[in-house]
Amino acid sequence: MKLLNNLTVRVLLAITLGILTGYFFPETAAKLKPLGDLFINLIKMVIAPIIFLTIVLGISNMGDLKKVGRVGGKALLYFEIVTTGALAIGLILANVIRPGDGVQTAAVKGGDISKYTEQGAGMDWTEFFLHIVPNNAIKAFAEGDILQVLVFSMLFGVGLTRMGEKGKPLIQTFERLSKVFFNILGVVMVLAPLGAFGGMAFTIGKYGLSTLLPLAKLMGTVYATMILFIFVILNLILRYYKISLWAVLKFIKEELLIVLGTSSSESALPQIMDKLETLGCSRSVVGLVVPAGYSFNLDGTTIYLVMATIFLAQVFGVDLTLGQELTIIGILMVTSKGAAGVTGSGFIVLASTLTAIKVIPVEGLALLLGVDRFMSEARSITNIIGNTVATIFIANNEGEFDRTKYERVLKREAENELADYKY
């Protein structure tokens, strides 16, 4: 069938098959995690080089280093404002809906949280921010440390720009290398359905749908909050420049489905950068905003962290004062920035926050172990949509958005969709 040639359809079918396999054959499905990991590793293989080349070419194509600083400053300001808004929305809805009321701690299957609480309690945030600057650039690439690669790439781009005409041959070489890596990415994307199938089958097979029931209200609240954030807040941000959020989401639907299947925003990071350029954002803005947003604009993670904190307070009957809730927001404004660079970030950052507050039992994290994997899809999807919107907003604000290209892309997408369904 012609429809099966469409990557979106193939990934959607793979996710469906993964859910069915996990439900009917849980023992077999729980062993399929390597399929998802294989695909994510293939993506990680090209992330660092693609980010490096995109940032360097973006800065060198800007030419004006003052403009680089201006775009970076606007991006960081945008990230802080929107992230604070996400925190406030999560805090308000968690207090209004109160998902933690009535949850019996003994009725929920716990788990070993020692590794999270130990790492969370021992997190040194001064050390984290010092870690942003790599002491070994090669090591940053080898370990795939996105934030360190970002810093090095910006410095490299600035150095290359200052060479003027003498740097042109190297820029041309980087242009060719960029095409090579995106061609590699095109080959890797053929395996996207396999990765989505393995990731979803493992999640359902290992954790089971039954684990959702005790904390269904929390999951429903988190999902509803993220949907509200996307279709109200992010939608209003795009409407300011007369951009259709729905049209953008349709354009990146393949990447969203891949994130849904793999529970990892990394799995779609390079493709989103390519899609945003195709949509009309300049390479320079894409190269600066998307990698920075991956560490500093984690809207989905931010919403989850604040709601999980308030949820645990409600479960244990801790009546937080307004001052304590504002303190939670202040702490999460800092700790959430480290979420992308920490393995098992959700629990470690949450443990760090609870340790800093000292009024909610850290042991309560065991309640969230069973459902965390099911909420990670929502976090990852919200994060990637948030960074997509941020890039489009900054590009428009800088006059670096090609409206004609945008209209042409949407028209072509509509024609392709019509051709698929005519068959």
Side-chain angles (χ1 to χ4, degrees):
M1 287 178 65
K2 187 177 179 181
L3 273 176
L4 290 178
N5 293 328
N6 187 303
L7 181 60
T8 303
V9 175
R10 295 203 304 272
V11 172
L12 199 53
L13 284 173
I15 290 173
T16 304
L17 288 172
I19 293 172
L20 293 174
T21 303
Y23 184 76
F24 290 108
F25 309 101
E27 291 185 8
T28 301
K31 298 175 183 178
L32 296 178
K33 189 174 184 288
L35 293 179
D37 290 345
L38 172 66
F39 175 70
I40 292 173
N41 286 343
L42 285 169
I43 294 291
K44 284 182 176 180
M45 178 179 68
V46 295
I47 283 180
I50 285 177
I51 286 178
F52 171 75
L53 292 167
T54 305
I55 292 175
V56 170
L57 290 172
I59 291 175
S60 59
N61 287 334
M62 268 190 193
D64 183 2
L65 294 181
K66 288 183 179 179
K67 185 176 179 181
V68 174
R70 186 175 69 246
V71 172
K74 283 182 179 179
L76 291 176
L77 179 61
Y78 173 95
F79 295 160
E80 202 54 54
I81 291 172
V82 176
T83 301
T84 303
L87 278 169
I89 290 172
L91 184 66
I92 292 169
L93 289 182
N95 277 299
V96 171
I97 301 174
R98 300 191 63 83
D101 286 353
V103 175
Q104 299 298 317
T105 57
V108 183
K109 185 180 179 181
D112 181 16
I113 61 165
S114 58
K115 61 179 179 179
Y116 303 116
T117 54
E118 287 171 9
Q119 285 181 265
M123 285 191 78
D124 184 338
W125 291 100
T126 301
E127 186 178 331
F128 166 75
F129 285 109
L130 288 175
H131 175 74
I132 290 173
V133 180
N135 56 19
N136 186 322
I138 304 301
K139 184 181 177 183
F141 279 89
E143 295 183 350
D145 193 318
I146 302 301
L147 200 50
Q148 290 190 347
V149 171
L150 168 67
V151 171
F152 175 74
S153 303
M154 291 180 68
L155 291 173
F156 195 100
V158 170
L160 185 58
T161 301
R162 295 184 66 179
M163 289 180 65
E165 290 296 320
K166 293 181 180 178
K168 288 290 177 66
L170 188 55
I171 292 173
Q172 291 172 355
T173 300
F174 282 171
E175 290 277 5
R176 296 188 183 97
L177 280 174
S178 179
K179 291 179 181 178
V180 170
F181 277 103
F182 274 108
N183 284 337
I184 293 173
L185 182 62
V187 175
V188 170
M189 287 306 296
V190 174
L191 298 176
L194 188 65
F197 168 75
M200 187 57 73
F202 165 75
T203 299
I204 302 297
K206 182 173 176 61
Y207 298 101
L209 295 176
S210 60
T211 59
L212 306 182
L213 297 178
L215 302 181
K217 190 176 180 182
L218 172 64
M219 278 197 63
T221 304
V222 170
Y223 271 77
T225 304
M226 292 188 186
I227 289 170
L228 181 68
F229 176 77
I230 292 168
F231 288 99
V232 176
I233 304 301
L234 297 185
N235 186 33
L236 288 174
I237 289 172
L238 285 187
R239 282 177 69 86
Y240 181 77
Y241 286 111
K242 297 180 180 178
I243 302 289
S244 167
L245 173 66
W246 189 248
V248 171
L249 294 182
K250 285 176 68 177
F251 184 61
I252 63 170
K253 58 184 179 295
E254 292 172 357
E255 287 70 30
L256 296 180
L257 285 172
I258 291 168
V259 170
L260 174 65
T262 60
S263 298
S264 169
S265 54
E266 278 188 336
S267 61
L269 185 61
Q271 303 94 294
I272 283 291
M273 294 174 74
D274 189 38
K275 281 282 185 78
L276 283 167
E277 283 190 56
T278 304
L279 195 62
C281 299
S282 69
R283 171 178 286 184
S284 53
V285 171
V286 171
L288 286 173
V289 178
V290 176
Y294 184 75
S295 291
F296 295 105
N297 190 42
L298 301 171
D299 300 323
T301 302
T302 299
I303 289 171
Y304 168 74
L305 289 173
V306 71
M307 297 194 83
T309 303
I310 301 302
F311 165 79
L312 291 176
Q314 292 166 359
V315 168
F316 289 101
V318 178
D319 189 15
L320 296 172
T321 64
L322 178 60
Q324 287 173 322
E325 291 190 346
L326 291 177
T327 300
I328 289 171
I329 286 183
I331 293 171
L332 286 174
M333 284 174 66
V334 177
T335 56
S336 62
K337 299 295 184 288
V342 184
T343 304
S345 58
F347 273 103
I348 295 170
V349 172
L350 190 53
S352 175
T353 305
L354 297 181
T355 302
I357 299 170
K358 296 179 181 177
V359 293
I360 303 170
V362 181
E363 293 73 23
L365 287 176
L367 291 173
L368 302 173
L369 284 176
V371 296
D372 182 72
R373 178 78 184 190
F374 292 96
M375 288 192 283
S376 66
E377 287 92 349
R379 291 199 301 264
S380 299
I381 288 174
T382 305
N383 288 341
I384 209 154
I385 292 174
N387 284 317
T388 298
V389 170
T391 307
I392 295 172
F393 179 85
I394 299 296
N396 274 278
N397 188 262
E398 277 292 307
E400 296 280 345
F401 187 79
D402 190 333
R403 176 74 57 165
T404 304
K405 195 174 182 180
Y406 166 74
E407 298 289 351
R408 193 187 315 127
V409 166
L410 294 191
K411 183 180 178 182
R412 186 173 68 243
E413 284 289 302
E415 288 173 350
N416 289 343
E417 190 173 288
L418 184 62
D420 284 338
Y421 288 104
K422 270 185 177 180
Y423 184 84

